[in-house]
Amino acid sequence: MANYLMTCSPEAWFEQYAPHSQWSDSDLDDLLQTLKQKSIWNSEGWTEILAAMQDRQTENNTYSPISKIAAAVAEQAQKMKGIAPTTKIQNAPHDWSVPEVPSHKWFPDLRGYLAKSQTIDPRTRESDSTNPQTFANDSSDMYPLVEEELQEPQRVELRKPRPSARLDGNSKGPKEQETKMNLSDVVAIGEFKREKKTADQRDNELKISGGATELLYNDPCRRFVNGFTIEKRNMRMWRFERSHVCFSQPFDFHKEAKLFLRYLLYIIFSSPKDLGFDPTVRRYFKPVTENADPPSSETDGCRYEIAYRYQIGNRFFLTEGPPISEEAAYWVASRATRVWRVREMIFQDHNKEHVYTLGECKVLKDAYLFEDAVLESVIRGQIMESLRHVDGVDLEDAACHFLDYELDEVVKLPDGDKEWREDDLISVTDANKRAYYNPAPKPSQPSPLPESQRTSTSQKDSNQPGATDASQQLPDGQTGRAKSYWDDLRYHRRKHVRTVITEVCQNMYEVDNWVTFLECMIHLIKGLNYMRQAGWVHRDISGGNCLWHPGSKQGKLADLEYARPYKHNSMLIHDPKTGTPAFMAVEYQERRYLFQPHQDPSQFQQMFDDDDFFLSKPSQPPIWNLPFAYHFYHDLESILWLYVWIAHFRPPSPCVPPAVFTPLSNTLRTLGNLFFVCGTDGNKTRLGAILTGKAPQNWFISRDLGQIYAGAHSAFILKGFMLLRPLVFAYEELESSLPDDTLPSGNPIWRDTHFGSALYDTFCNEVIEVLNRVRPRPAIHPMISISSRWEKTRRPPTTTQEPDSPTAHANELEMAGLSTSQ
C-alpha cells in the first residue's frame, strides 16, 4: 500500500469519508455531559482508560473500556434521537471472526459488527425486498427505533466455504462450526498500543492493514473498510478503499473527546451502505441438495452454501460455485477483480428474495477500474467498427475471436431520493497529502547466519519500499519512487464496473488438453492479427486473458481494458506498464529497443580515421535512445511466452510418470522459473533468449527439458519454441530503420504499414504443424499440472513460494511499484 497512502486532518476525514453522519456540537456536548455524569469521562479524558494507564494495566485491559464507552454513547443517542444502532462495538482481542474463505487468523483489538445481519437466509426470514434502497436506508441514514430486540447475526454452520486464491500452509479454513461473529458482519476494526514509539505505530499500521485486507478479500459485498488506531493518547482514523488508503492526522482522543465521539457515532449509527457495504451485492445462504439443479429453497435438510447476488440495473445474478478468479481482490488498492459463474435470478415476487428461478449459466466480472478506463464492450465495438473499413476482412469470423458482452456498465448506487449515481472511489482531494509508513527498526547487529539462511532475506517485506525509497527523502519531502507515481496517482479515481458475458470459457490455466491448447493458440494468433488490421494492440496477453469456449470450440481474446489504438492520442511521454510481467515482451519490460539499425562496415573504419565523426552532432539519434513505444509484435511475443509457460508447467502427462513425478516436476519447475520469475528489471533469461534467438546454436530449449519430452516421444511439441526465430528476425527487420511516424506525445513510432500478416501466418503455421502431429496421438493429449495458479498469492512472498505463477510475477512488480495493471 506504500504508493497509495494519504493523510488529512481529522475534520477533512469526516467531511470526505463520513458526509452523511451529521451530529451537531450541541449533540456532542449533551453526550459528553451525560458521560461525565456517569463518570465515564471528565475534563482529563476517559476515566477508566486513564486509570488503567496509571496502574500500568495490560494493553487489552487498558483499552477494554472503549466498548463500554460505545455502549453508553449508543444508549444515550437512542434516547436523544429516537434511533437504533446499526453496529455494536466490542473489545474481543482473543476472538477469531470466522471467514468465508480460507484465511490467515487475525485478532483485532476491537471490532464493530452489524447489529442486524444483511444476509438473506431462507430458513428464518421472508425478505425486505430486492430493492437496494431498503438496504441502504439513505433517507435517514439510521434504522428507526423498534420495540423488539434487534435481530442478532445468524448462527450459521459454514460448510464447504468457497476456495481461496491463497491456499497455503499458513491459511486456515473455517471449520464446520457455529459462530455469532462472522467476518462478513464485521464493520470496522481497531488496534491499540500503550506507547507511541515508532515500533508501536508500525505494528498498529501493519495489523490494521492486514485486517482490512482480510475483510475486503473475504467479502464481495464490501466496498471499503474503516478502522482506527491508538498509540497511548494519539488516535488516527483509517479508510481503506480500492483506490487508496487514507488515515487522519493523529489527535489526542482524551483532549479531543468530541472527535472520538463523532467517530463512534459514525460507526454505530450509519447505514450499512455508508459503512462500506454495497447495496447492489447481497449474501445468500443458498440451499443445495444432492442432484438438485436448480436448488430448491423449500427443501428441508439440505446443505447450505454461501452465494452472492449481484445487481446490474434491474437484473439480478446469483453466483454459482467458487469464483473463477478473485486473487486480485486480495490487494486493497487495486482493480480487485472478481470473476464468477452466475445465473440470472427471476423473481416471482420482488418482495420474496428467497423465491426465484435461475436462468442459463453466464460469467460476471466485477472490478474497480480507473475512472478514465474505457469499458471492454466499447473497445470491442471500436475494434469491429475499424475492421468494417478493412478490405477482405470476414467480420463474422473476426467477431468470434472476442467475447460477447451482454451487460457492461458502471455500477450505480441508490442515493437517497435522488437518481442513482455511479459508484466511484476517491483517490485524492485538496485536503489530502502524501503519506509514508513507519519503516521497520533496523536490527542492532547483523545476523550471524549466512545470507541464504536469514529469514529477513528469504521473507523480505517487499510490500514496503526499500532503502532507496521511503527512508531517503527528497528535498520536497517525497520519495524517489513515490514521487514519480504521486503525480499520476492523484488523478486516479476508480469507477466500479460490472460486466456480464454470455460465454462461459476456460482460461489457459484451466485447459487440460494439448489439442485444445494448440487450437486455442491458433485462434488467438488470428485474433491478434484482426486487432492489427483494426489498428489496435492488446497489451495484456496472459494465460488468464486467453480463453477457450468449449461450446463453439473457439479461442477468444479477453480483458480488452488495456487495449488501445496503436497510434493512440495519449499525451503521456511515458505510459505506465500494463499486463502480466511473466508474459510481457522483453523490450516492453526493458523499455528499450534491443536491435539497432544495420550499419555499413566501412563506417567503423571512418570512426577512427575521421575525428569529426565523434565531434559532429549525429543526424539521427541511436534507436536505443528513443522513447519506447508498444507495437503489434509485442503482443505476438506474449503468445510465445504463453506457449513456453504451458510447456514447462502443463506438460503432456506421459512426460511425468507417477513413479518419477516428484523429481521430474521439480526439474520442470526449476527450468520454468528461469523464464518466469520476474524482478524489478524483468527476466534476464528471456532477455538473453531474445538477443540470441536467431542463432540455432543458442536455442533456449534446455537439454533437461528436451529429455523429459523425448522420454514421452513428444519432443516435437517443443518446436513451438522455434517461434522465437522469426520473431527476432521481424524485430531486426523493423528496427533496421528508424521510426518514420510520431504520436501526439512526440514519441516516434513505425507506420503500421511496416507490420503485415507474414509473421502472424508463420506463427499459425508453426502451431498447426505441432497440432497435426499431436492430434493422432491421444496418449499425449492430457496435460498434467505442475503447479496451480491458485496457490501463489501468499503475502509476503517467500523463497518457498512457487514463483512460476503469472499472478505471482504480477504481484512482484506491483509491490515494487512497476505495474499498474492491478
Side-chain angles (χ1 to χ4, degrees):
M1 303 176 191
N3 284 330
Y4 301 92
L5 283 179
M6 304 173 195
T7 188
C8 63
S9 69
E11 289 295 335
W13 194 95
F14 283 113
E15 181 179 351
Q16 180 168 326
Y17 300 114
H20 296 126
S21 180
Q22 301 294 334
W23 295 85
S24 66
D25 281 341
S26 62
D27 291 335
L28 299 175
D29 288 334
D30 291 344
L31 279 172
L32 279 179
Q33 187 62 31
T34 301
L35 296 175
K36 185 175 183 180
Q37 293 172 359
K38 295 182 177 182
S39 299
I40 295 176
W41 175 84
N42 59 34
S43 59
E44 297 298 321
W46 306 101
T47 55
E48 290 190 37
I49 296 177
L50 290 174
M53 292 287 290
Q54 188 171 0
D55 294 342
R56 304 188 66 82
Q57 293 284 333
T58 64
E59 175 185 298
N60 293 336
N61 290 339
T62 298
Y63 295 102
S64 61
I66 290 180
S67 59
K68 179 179 178 181
I69 296 170
V73 169
E75 180 184 5
Q76 184 61 25
Q78 282 184 342
K79 296 177 181 179
M80 291 170 53
K81 298 289 187 178
I83 55 177
T86 57
T87 300
K88 293 184 178 182
I89 291 179
Q90 177 181 356
N91 286 79
H94 302 296
D95 291 347
W96 176 43
S97 295
V98 177
E100 294 171 6
V101 296
S103 172
H104 300 284
K105 287 187 177 181
W106 59 283
F107 305 88
D109 294 328
L110 176 144
R111 71 202 85 188
Y113 62 95
L114 290 173
K116 181 179 180 180
S117 178
Q118 300 302 310
T119 299
I120 299 170
D121 188 345
R123 296 170 296 178
T124 58
R125 58 184 296 204
E126 283 290 316
S127 167
D128 291 327
S129 80
T130 55
N131 182 4
Q133 190 68 59
T134 303
F135 165 82
N137 200 19
D138 276 329
S139 58
S140 66
D141 293 285
M142 301 171 186
Y143 284 115
L145 184 62
V146 292
E147 295 296 334
E148 64 270 16
E149 184 179 355
L150 285 172
Q151 175 188 350
E152 291 288 341
Q154 302 284 332
R155 293 175 64 86
V156 176
E157 189 175 9
L158 297 177
R159 296 182 181 179
K160 297 186 178 180
R162 81 179 190 269
S164 168
R166 298 176 297 108
L167 290 172
D168 58 58
N170 297 320
S171 298
K172 304 297 181 185
K175 299 178 181 178
E176 294 188 3
Q177 59 180 312
E178 292 185 347
T179 176
K180 280 194 174 183
M181 196 182 293
N182 290 330
L183 200 62
S184 57
D185 288 327
V186 175
V187 171
I189 50 178
E191 293 290 346
F192 314 130
K193 286 288 182 292
R194 294 186 76 259
E195 303 296 333
K196 58 177 181 179
K197 299 175 183 177
T198 299
D200 296 316
Q201 295 179 38
R202 175 177 170 81
D203 188 64
N204 270 352
E205 290 166 357
L206 292 177
K207 286 179 177 177
I208 198 168
S209 297
T213 298
E214 297 295 337
L215 280 171
L216 286 169
Y217 179 70
N218 172 81
D219 192 0
C221 304
R222 200 82 58 137
R223 297 174 59 242
F224 56 81
V225 168
N226 294 300
F228 70 103
T229 55
I230 294 177
E231 294 90 30
K232 199 171 184 177
R233 302 174 66 99
N234 288 349
M235 174 173 168
R236 291 177 291 172
M237 301 174 292
W238 291 75
R239 169 64 68 89
F240 295 85
E241 293 194 357
R242 292 304 188 177
S243 61
H244 71 293
V245 177
C246 184
F247 58 87
S248 72
Q249 294 163 4
F251 60 90
D252 188 326
F253 80 108
H254 289 288
K255 293 183 177 180
E256 301 287 345
K258 286 186 180 181
L259 288 177
F260 182 51
L261 283 182
R262 284 182 67 185
Y263 186 79
L264 290 181
L265 290 167
Y266 162 60
I267 296 298
I268 295 172
F269 289 101
S270 293
S271 69
K273 172 175 170 285
D274 285 337
L275 292 173
F277 290 89
D278 187 341
T280 65
V281 185
R282 300 294 297 274
R283 176 181 292 95
Y284 273 60
F285 286 126
K286 186 176 68 170
V288 178
T289 56
E290 298 298 331
N291 303 319
D293 186 22
S296 170
S297 59
E298 307 300 330
T299 304
D300 294 328
C302 53
R303 176 170 57 87
Y304 285 84
E305 290 183 347
I306 296 171
Y308 301 91
R309 187 197 74 196
Y310 284 85
Q311 179 177 7
I312 306 178
N314 293 321
R315 299 173 67 179
F316 300 87
F317 299 86
L318 189 67
T319 64
E320 186 172 83
I324 297 172
S325 173
E326 69 170 355
E327 60 264 40
Y330 191 63
W331 301 93
V332 172
S334 70
R335 289 188 302 172
T337 304
R338 283 186 168 98
V339 184
W340 302 86
R341 290 176 178 86
V342 296
R343 293 181 186 268
E344 186 165 5
M345 304 174 73
I346 297 94
F347 294 96
Q348 299 173 354
D349 183 347
H350 278 261
N351 289 319
K352 294 183 178 180
E353 293 180 300
H354 64 283
V355 180
Y356 55 86
T357 57
L358 296 174
E360 295 296 323
C361 191
K362 299 176 182 180
V363 171
L364 183 144
K365 177 180 177 181
D366 186 83
Y368 291 90
L369 309 181
F370 289 134
E371 66 171 347
D372 57 351
V374 182
L375 299 185
E376 291 184 57
S377 60
V378 175
I379 293 175
R380 182 189 188 278
Q382 292 175 349
I383 291 173
M384 296 306 300
E385 182 61 29
S386 297
L387 288 175
R388 293 181 188 278
H389 305 285
V390 179
D391 292 337
V393 170
D394 184 339
L395 292 177
E396 185 176 349
D397 181 66
C400 293
H401 293 78
F402 303 94
L403 293 172
D404 291 326
Y405 299 94
E406 182 173 334
L407 294 170
D408 190 23
E409 57 188 63
V410 178
V411 174
K412 292 186 178 180
L413 303 178
D415 192 18
D417 296 330
K418 305 174 185 177
E419 295 292 329
W420 288 33
R421 60 178 176 83
E422 290 188 349
D423 181 19
D424 65 344
L425 293 177
I426 300 169
S427 59
V428 184
T429 67
D430 293 338
N432 284 3
K433 299 179 180 178
R434 187 75 170 92
Y436 306 99
Y437 68 96
N438 288 291
K442 295 182 179 179
S444 57
Q445 59 185 11
S447 169
L449 294 175
E451 185 74 12
S452 61
Q453 298 180 24
R454 294 183 197 165
T455 302
S456 59
T457 299
S458 63
Q459 296 186 348
K460 183 178 180 181
D461 188 1
S462 56
N463 295 306
Q464 313 293 351
T468 59
D469 299 305
S471 61
Q472 294 185 359
Q473 301 291 325
L474 295 177
D476 62 355
Q478 295 182 352
T479 65
R481 186 182 70 205
K483 179 180 179 181
S484 63
Y485 275 81
W486 176 244
D487 294 335
D488 291 337
L489 179 66
R490 64 184 300 114
Y491 301 106
H492 282 171
R493 296 169 68 100
R494 288 189 183 267
K495 59 187 178 185
H496 192 180
V497 177
R498 211 161 277 161
T499 306
V500 173
I501 302 163
T502 56
E503 306 106 323
V504 180
C505 299
Q506 297 173 301
N507 61 43
M508 289 299 96
Y509 309 118
E510 298 170 315
V511 168
D512 59 1
N513 186 285
W514 265 92
V515 171
T516 299
F517 168 69
L518 293 170
E519 289 177 344
C520 188
M521 286 286 285
I522 296 167
H523 296 159
L524 296 173
I525 296 166
K526 290 181 178 179
L528 288 176
N529 196 25
Y530 279 125
M531 290 190 70
R532 176 196 63 81
Q533 291 174 284
W536 284 71
V537 287
H538 190 284
R539 301 200 305 157
D540 191 16
I541 295 296
S542 71
N545 302 336
C546 297
L547 307 181
W548 174 256
H549 186 225
S552 61
K553 297 189 180 300
Q554 174 68 50
K556 293 177 179 287
L557 293 169
D559 284 3
L560 299 177
E561 59 202 71
Y562 293 115
R564 71 178 181 193
Y566 168 58
K567 193 167 183 179
H568 55 90
N569 295 322
S570 172
M571 294 302 295
L572 295 175
I573 297 297
H574 300 289
D575 285 330
K577 286 183 183 178
T578 62
T580 304
F583 301 119
M584 279 183 184
V586 173
E587 286 190 338
Y588 190 37
Q589 282 185 319
E590 297 280 324
R591 284 302 182 99
R592 62 188 176 95
Y593 300 114
L594 299 177
F595 303 96
Q596 58 181 319
H598 296 305
Q599 291 183 323
D600 187 341
S602 63
Q603 290 182 331
F604 290 100
Q605 184 64 36
Q606 179 187 358
M607 289 192 300
F608 307 107
D609 293 340
D610 186 358
D611 292 337
D612 291 336
F613 182 88
F614 291 101
L615 297 175
S616 60
K617 184 177 180 179
S619 58
Q620 293 179 316
I623 192 170
W624 53 81
N625 287 341
L626 295 177
F628 179 83
Y630 195 97
H631 58 67
F632 303 104
Y633 290 164
H634 295 133
D635 282 337
L636 270 181
E637 184 180 331
S638 295
I639 289 289
L640 165 66
W641 297 125
L642 176 58
Y643 193 107
V644 174
W645 191 93
I646 291 291
H648 283 91
F649 298 109
R650 299 293 188 270
S653 57
C655 289
V656 279
V660 288
F661 177 83
T662 299
L664 290 183
S665 63
N666 287 338
T667 298
L668 287 169
R669 195 190 320 274
T670 301
L671 296 173
N673 289 345
L674 295 175
F675 293 99
F676 298 104
V677 174
C678 298
T680 57
D681 55 350
N683 181 283
K684 296 304 180 184
T685 304
R686 288 213 301 262
L687 173 62
I690 285 289
L691 291 176
T692 61
K694 67 177 183 179
Q697 65 270 25
N698 291 322
W699 272 13
F700 64 108
I701 302 175
S702 66
R703 176 169 291 276
D704 288 338
L705 182 66
Q707 289 177 347
I708 289 174
Y709 272 79
H713 306 289
S714 56
F716 60 87
I717 288 179
L718 301 180
K719 192 174 187 297
F721 285 41
M722 286 295 293
L723 295 172
L724 181 67
R725 295 195 69 198
L727 177 68
V728 170
F729 278 114
Y731 278 142
E732 283 196 335
E733 181 181 359
L734 179 69
E735 298 173 19
S736 64
S737 60
L738 292 173
D740 51 3
D741 201 354
T742 57
L743 296 173
S745 63
N747 269 23
I749 62 171
W750 285 274
R751 296 184 187 276
D752 55 11
T753 54
H754 290 279
F755 305 90
S757 296
L759 184 58
Y760 297 84
D761 293 339
T762 299
F763 267 54
C764 273
N765 293 336
E766 291 286 352
V767 177
I768 289 172
E769 183 177 339
V770 175
L771 174 62
N772 289 338
R773 298 186 64 179
V774 169
R775 199 187 298 275
R777 299 188 56 191
I780 63 172
H781 291 184
M783 292 177 171
I784 190 164
S785 178
I786 297 302
S787 62
S788 170
R789 72 187 184 109
W790 301 106
E791 300 173 355
K792 309 306 184 303
T793 49
R794 305 177 193 172
R795 185 179 184 179
T798 71
T799 53
T800 60
Q801 177 179 0
E802 298 172 354
D804 53 288
S805 161
T807 303
H809 312 318
N811 289 344
E812 289 182 21
L813 265 71
E814 182 177 295
M815 290 184 293
L818 298 179
S819 173
T820 59
S821 66
Q822 72 275 25

